[in-house]
Amino acid sequence: MAQWTSAVGAAQLARLLTSQQDRPAGPGTRRPPAYRALADGIRLLVLEGRVPVAARLPAERELALALSVSRTTVAAAYEALRTEGFLESRRGAGSWTAVPAGNPLPARGLEPLPPEALGSMIDLGCAALPAPEPWLTRAVQGALEELPPYAHTHGDYPAGLPALRAMIADRYTARGIPTMPEQIMVTTGAMGAMDAICHLFAGRGERIAVESPSYANILQLMREAGARLVPVAMAEELGGWDLDRWRQVLREAAPRLAYVVADFHNPTGALADEEQRRRLVEAARSAGTVLVVDETMSELYLEDGLEMPRRVSGFDPAGSTVITVGSASKAFWAGMRIGWVRGAPDVIRSLVAARAYADLGTPVLEQLAVNWLLSTGGWEQAVGLRREQARENRDALVTAVRRELPSWEFSVPQGGLTLWVRTGGLSGSRLAEAGERVGVRVPSGPRFGVDGAFEGYVRLPFTVGGALAEEAAVRLAAAARLVETGASGSAESPRTFVA
């Protein structure tokens, strides 16, 4: 019986390998043999999760033709992978990817490190900050005081607690977007909101237009839902959306959904202006596309006096085109898994009805904690602390990266939590792998693209500051040197950082 569970075609594998662009070798730098470069490329695709474990690889002759190399080169690469434990083969069944014994399976996303690993590894994989105390503790205490009446009920509120729905609706209304509680559904984080929307609007095989790059976890959620992703390139630097490209994609591909992050886009940090928002809503309405707007970063503006554009839903007064997703996870704390959907009442009713077959509802205690924050003014004070911390971290990280890695290019965003960095021609996948060896964890660009795009990028979140940001940049520079020299094997052990 075959040991593989999926297959990768020769053309697909060749396209993924071609996307791995390295800096041209400098004088005195020895390039690896062709078979070694091919083996390394396939190994990185497996470690990145872009080629699944237990995926059947093309036959040697097929891959040789697709790559325009000799069959001997492919055979030698496959043999090297078998020796290293990244490939298994059996006569009559072919060859399939594997991971060596003792190695963790590659994650499709980049999960946070366990607390016990934080002493030796600087984690830049997750764009999330510690809780803004004392507001988390106060919110939980306030929630406990409000809990007794709810404890006498069944505790199932598929649309969310009425008080929290009303509070969220009032906040939209105060921002010039008239909203009723019936237009709000409380969810288990923004991911829960997006999962519900995708299952309602985009069945298996449906097209979803997405920014390119876009938020990695949402892209993976859509893939697992069976969607066909249609990437739309962002404008250069922090220019927001390229409306000509969006109009073309919406007209020609006719996607059922489009997913966008208008406020401090993840990962680029771009902020779409009001004209772009108006024109995108008009284009989506004309194409019959439902526009899902992720507002999880909208309150994380970091520059004093920055005038935020009107919310995208403000350009859709009828409510027939735009669905909004919000969350407490980025603005307050990732451990507070409270999100929400704002949409037309009939959309919310459909989402609530479908929820009976998913998670039934969101935990009551956490909803009460968020409601306490919003109703007491604690939210504004906590988010103010969050902005101050993110601003300081951003400035420290920018200074350190510019000093240690002057060839890396990025634009400094006015808000959000991430830098999108062009790595001077180095492979982001190889940087991520080398970073693990020198003690810094960073997600490579392809996690935020479709089908191998953005190999020359990494995402750096503003999650560390001060001396820790400086140390992170030092370790990234060490990782870059390993990639530039083609060094392999174990690097020197990372230092334990003491604050």
Side-chain angles (χ1 to χ4, degrees):
M1 183 176 178
Q3 300 294 309
W4 49 273
T5 57
S6 61
V8 180
Q12 179 187 9
L13 183 56
R15 186 168 62 252
L16 290 170
L17 289 165
T18 301
S19 74
Q20 295 176 335
Q21 299 296 326
D22 279 339
R23 175 181 289 175
T29 302
R30 297 180 59 186
R31 284 191 176 278
Y35 85 89
R36 183 68 262 171
L38 176 56
D40 287 347
I42 294 174
R43 176 173 54 83
L44 279 169
L45 291 174
V46 173
L47 290 173
E48 276 281 297
R50 288 188 282 152
V51 169
V53 175
R56 186 179 186 274
L57 295 186
E60 294 171 1
R61 188 185 302 277
E62 294 175 356
L63 186 56
L65 286 172
L67 293 173
S68 299
V69 300
S70 71
R71 183 177 177 180
T72 302
T73 296
V74 177
Y78 278 14
E79 181 58 34
L81 290 169
R82 277 189 287 268
T83 301
E84 297 162 5
F86 285 94
L87 196 68
E88 296 181 10
S89 304
R90 193 173 70 224
R91 187 179 297 276
S95 299
W96 56 92
T97 56
V99 291
N103 278 37
L105 289 174
R108 290 182 176 179
L110 202 61
E111 290 78 14
L113 284 173
E116 60 270 18
L118 294 177
S120 59
M121 182 74 72
I122 299 175
D123 187 7
L124 298 182
C126 188
L129 292 163
E133 289 287 25
W135 296 106
L136 174 62
T137 299
R138 292 179 181 176
V140 173
Q141 291 171 341
L144 288 172
E145 294 175 1
E146 298 292 332
L147 183 61
Y150 295 93
H152 293 293
T153 73
H154 49 64
D156 286 337
Y157 296 89
L161 294 184
L164 181 55
R165 296 176 72 195
M167 183 63 65
I168 294 171
D170 288 346
R171 287 174 65 84
Y172 277 105
T173 299
R175 287 169 169 77
I177 315 296
T179 303
M180 303 179 295
E182 293 79 9
Q183 292 179 261
I184 302 295
M185 180 177 83
V186 180
T187 62
T188 308
M191 292 293 289
M194 285 303 306
D195 183 64
I197 292 168
C198 287
H199 280 89
L200 179 63
F201 285 96
R204 186 164 295 275
E206 290 276 7
R207 295 185 181 93
I208 301 180
V210 296
E211 296 151 328
S212 184
S214 187
Y215 179 37
N217 289 340
I218 294 295
L219 293 180
Q220 189 58 38
L221 182 154
M222 292 173 177
R223 291 187 189 101
E224 293 189 356
R228 297 163 60 190
L229 302 184
V230 183
V232 186
M234 296 288 288
E236 292 298 318
E237 298 181 341
L238 298 179
W241 300 320
D242 185 326
L243 268 299
D244 290 337
R245 290 174 177 171
W246 270 104
R247 279 196 298 268
Q248 180 181 2
V249 166
L250 294 177
R251 181 176 62 251
E252 296 178 358
R256 184 71 181 91
L257 283 181
Y259 168 77
V260 296
V261 185
D263 302 308
F264 312 121
H265 174 260
N266 187 354
T268 68
L271 177 65
D273 63 33
E274 287 201 0
E275 181 64 12
Q276 289 174 324
R277 296 169 189 233
R278 180 186 63 78
R279 292 169 61 194
L280 184 57
V281 171
E282 291 175 353
R285 186 182 297 117
S286 296
T289 297
V290 175
L291 187 62
V292 183
V293 182
D294 184 333
E295 293 185 340
T296 54
M297 297 280 192
S298 64
E299 296 195 57
L300 292 177
Y301 50 87
L302 305 182
E303 302 296 343
D304 293 334
L306 176 64
E307 185 175 346
M308 289 294 292
R310 189 180 184 190
R311 300 291 181 99
V312 177
S313 52
F315 298 94
D316 180 38
S320 59
T321 299
V322 176
I323 297 176
T324 298
V325 170
S327 172
S329 298
K330 296 296 185 185
F332 185 75
W333 184 47
M336 188 69 76
R337 305 304 306 159
I338 298 295
W340 52 85
V341 179
R342 179 197 180 276
D346 61 321
V347 169
I348 298 300
R349 285 194 295 270
S350 297
L351 289 170
V352 171
R355 195 173 194 180
Y357 308 101
D359 64 354
L360 294 178
T362 301
V364 170
L365 188 63
E366 292 184 24
Q367 292 188 71
L368 288 172
V370 172
N371 190 61
W372 183 92
L373 286 165
L374 295 174
S375 61
T376 62
W379 178 270
E380 282 72 21
Q381 295 188 60
V383 174
L385 291 175
R386 171 67 77 237
R387 292 191 195 108
E388 182 180 345
Q389 183 180 14
R391 184 188 306 113
E392 292 175 355
N393 287 357
R394 179 198 63 181
D395 295 346
L397 188 63
V398 164
T399 299
V401 172
R402 283 177 171 165
R403 181 182 64 246
E404 299 293 335
L405 294 149
S407 67
W408 287 19
E409 303 172 32
F410 53 86
S411 297
V412 180
Q414 296 177 292
L417 289 171
T418 58
L419 285 180
W420 184 238
V421 182
R422 183 182 288 112
T423 56
L426 297 180
S427 162
S429 298
R430 287 177 167 82
L431 280 166
E433 183 189 24
E436 294 274 356
R437 305 210 306 270
V438 299
V440 60
R441 197 163 184 250
V442 59
S444 64
R447 292 186 182 275
F448 305 90
V450 176
D451 202 14
F454 305 109
E455 185 61 51
Y457 289 80
V458 293
R459 189 193 73 171
L460 304 181
F462 318 145
T463 52
V464 296
L468 193 55
E470 294 179 4
E471 178 66 14
V474 168
R475 296 186 187 187
L476 283 170
R481 287 193 293 273
L482 288 178
V483 176
E484 286 177 318
T485 59
S488 59
S490 61
E492 63 177 67
S493 299
R495 291 171 281 172
T496 299
F497 183 81
V498 180

